[in-house]
Amino acid sequence: MKLQSAAAATLLILFAVILPCHSQTSKTKPSPSAKGEAPAAAISIISLMSAHGCKNFADTLSASPAEKTFEDNVEGGVTIFCPTDDAMKSFSPKFKNLTADGKQSVLEYHGVPVYQSMSSLRTSNGLMNTLATDGANNYDFVVQNDGQDVTLKTKVVTAKITGTVFEKEPVAIFSIDEVLEPTELFKLAPTPAPAPAPTPEADAESPKPAGKKHKSPPAPASPADSPVGSRKGKVAASTADKNGGFRFNGGAMVAPVLFIWFAHLLL
């Protein structure tokens, strides 16, 4: 009995020592932040953009319901294209003319609900949905790369990525030189109209290509100089001789008159 009592006491002592130690070990388990990995919720996208040349966009976003849309997608992964301050300044008149829903859509149009690093953007081309995409409202744009340059095309404007603000999964933020304008809210960029095709009538009336010009012969100085007039004169004279025999010959008539006058004097 004494041995059993001693064994029971020993077990009780061991439980009393081991349980508190285990509990303490569980409480002191290192958190992700202790390892140097900040949780996604601790990333302030507004502060990051404000500190890297996108303060106007960050201020506009923080004053809009669109900020919650961005924050809700941070943990699952999000890529943000923030226009520079100069780009936002140029776009400000257009932005002010939008409705409240339109302003929210434009802001959400600058976010993609998936993490995209710069290396992945440089190796991919094609359509990309945004935080503004909702059913029939496409709100998408085309990512196109040319070597190290990456551009975003919306059919209204083309923006170029100018720098990396933050790039650490699950959040990537890149600065761009233009505000992205969706076709759902803005008119398409004008394209030159094609030249009309020529009609058969137009072809018939169109001037012929210039070739060697044909020179007309110079007009004769007088009717007498004209070879045609000369021929006509000869024909007319010949016709008069044949029809009436009338032809005035001055020399033939003067000689008899002089002869009669001279004979009269002698008599």
Side-chain angles (χ1 to χ4, degrees):
M1 290 292 295
K2 290 182 179 181
L3 291 174
Q4 292 178 349
S5 298
T10 302
L11 288 174
L12 289 172
I13 293 171
L14 288 173
F15 276 115
V17 173
I18 292 173
L19 285 175
C21 291
H22 178 72
S23 177
Q24 186 68 22
T25 302
S26 299
K27 291 180 181 179
T28 58
K29 184 178 179 179
S31 62
S33 58
K35 295 180 180 180
E37 297 178 3
I43 299 174
S44 173
I45 59 175
I46 300 297
S47 298
L48 287 169
M49 290 188 291
S50 296
H52 292 84
C54 300
K55 188 177 187 307
N56 289 346
F57 181 79
D59 291 344
T60 306
L61 180 61
S62 63
S64 168
E67 181 185 11
K68 187 177 186 307
T69 306
F70 280 84
E71 296 291 354
D72 290 346
N73 283 271
V74 166
E75 188 172 350
V78 66
T79 303
I80 304 170
F81 301 100
C82 64
T84 61
D85 290 339
D86 288 340
M88 281 296 292
K89 183 178 180 180
S90 299
F91 180 71
S92 181
K94 290 184 179 180
F95 188 76
K96 289 179 180 179
N97 289 331
L98 294 172
T99 63
D101 289 341
K103 291 177 180 178
Q104 181 175 348
S105 295
V106 167
L107 294 173
E108 292 175 351
Y109 191 56
H110 289 76
V112 175
V114 64
Y115 174 79
Q116 292 277 358
S117 64
M118 178 58 78
S119 59
S120 65
L121 290 172
R122 284 174 176 162
T123 56
S124 62
N125 289 304
L127 284 175
M128 188 171 287
N129 289 331
T130 66
L131 296 177
T133 303
D134 181 20
N137 297 321
N138 292 329
Y139 282 100
D140 52 21
F141 55 75
V142 175
V143 177
Q144 188 170 348
N145 60 73
D146 182 11
Q148 298 298 307
D149 296 331
V150 179
T151 56
L152 314 176
K153 298 186 175 182
T154 75
K155 295 183 180 179
V156 181
V157 296
T158 298
K160 180 181 178 182
I161 294 180
T162 57
T164 300
V165 174
F166 183 83
E167 185 179 6
K168 186 175 182 181
E169 199 169 357
V171 176
I173 305 175
F174 304 103
S175 59
I176 54 178
D177 62 355
E178 293 282 350
V179 175
L180 300 176
E181 300 179 22
T183 56
E184 287 80 1
L185 296 175
F186 300 94
K187 293 181 180 180
L188 299 178
T191 55
T199 61
E201 292 78 3
D203 290 340
E205 295 175 0
S206 60
K208 302 294 183 183
K212 291 183 178 179
K213 291 185 178 180
H214 175 69
K215 276 191 173 184
S216 299
S222 64
D225 295 334
S226 172
V228 176
S230 176
R231 287 196 299 271
K232 286 183 178 179
K234 291 180 179 179
V235 171
S238 175
T239 303
D241 290 341
K242 289 179 180 179
N243 290 339
F246 175 78
R247 185 171 183 176
F248 180 81
N249 192 330
M253 294 184 67
V254 170
V257 171
L258 291 176
F259 177 76
I260 293 173
W261 178 74
F262 185 73
H264 179 72
L265 292 175
L266 292 176
L267 294 175

